[in-house]
Amino acid sequence: MANRPAFQQMLEDMKAGKINYIVAYKLDRVTRSVRDLEILISELEKHNCYLICDRDDVNTSSANGRFFVRMLTVLSQLEIEIVSERTKFGMTGAIKSGHVPRNLPIRLQKRK
């Protein structure tokens, strides 16, 4: 979240009391990091602000809504990690069988 200037400005506006709802299309457009979400929810609670995500039916103005948003983020993080593991496994298998894809990450390139 630190390298998102508009997001940081929005948080500053929230802290200044200018806004009390943050509305997003989907939760993954806000953050995909469980850690960042926990920080965000803590800040929202501290400043009496709420997060609403239209497509995911998320609303942090209730205890159930805060629980649901945390569960969605944990599942999203799990999905990201599983895809990453499968990709690494597939790349390793392809390289071992002699199928070297183009534009390999440096750590996967064969040494000459």
Side-chain angles (χ1 to χ4, degrees), residues 74-112:
V74 168
L75 291 173
S76 176
Q77 183 71 31
L78 175 65
E79 181 183 3
I80 289 166
E81 291 176 13
I82 288 172
V83 168
S84 176
E85 287 175 357
R86 287 180 180 161
T87 301
K88 288 175 188 173
F89 182 75
M91 291 288 282
T92 302
I95 290 169
K96 284 182 180 177
S97 66
H99 302 286
V100 181
R102 296 182 184 195
N103 301 326
L104 282 176
I106 292 173
R107 66 177 181 228
L108 294 178
Q109 290 180 354
K110 287 187 176 182
R111 294 186 181 176
K112 295 179 182 181

Side-chain angles (χ1 to χ4, degrees), residues 53-71:
C53 298
D54 183 54
R55 290 283 287 180
D56 296 325
D57 199 25
V58 167
N59 185 340
T60 63
S61 64
S62 69
N64 284 338
R66 287 186 294 276
F67 169 78
F68 184 65
V69 75
R70 286 179 172 115
M71 292 307 299

Side-chain angles (χ1 to χ4, degrees), residues 4-73:
R4 296 169 67 187
F7 193 85
Q8 292 302 316
Q9 181 60 51
M10 178 184 63
L11 293 180
E12 290 302 318
D13 289 346
M14 175 196 66
K15 290 174 185 175
K18 295 179 181 177
I19 60 174
N20 31 348
Y21 283 92
I22 296 173
V23 180
Y25 179 65
K26 289 183 72 174
L27 183 59
D28 66 359
R29 304 313 308 149
V30 177
T31 184
R32 292 185 179 141
S33 163
V34 174
R35 181 175 170 270
D36 286 347
L37 179 69
E38 275 305 314
I39 292 168
L40 177 62
I41 289 177
S42 294
E43 286 297 310
L44 292 172
E45 288 172 350
K46 192 185 310 181
H47 299 284
N48 296 318
C49 190
Y50 306 102
L51 174 66
I52 297 174
C53 298
D54 183 54
R55 290 283 287 180
D56 296 325
D57 199 25
V58 167
N59 185 340
T60 63
S61 64
S62 69
N64 284 338
R66 287 186 294 276
F67 169 78
F68 184 65
V69 75
R70 286 179 172 115
M71 292 307 299
L72 279 177
T73 305

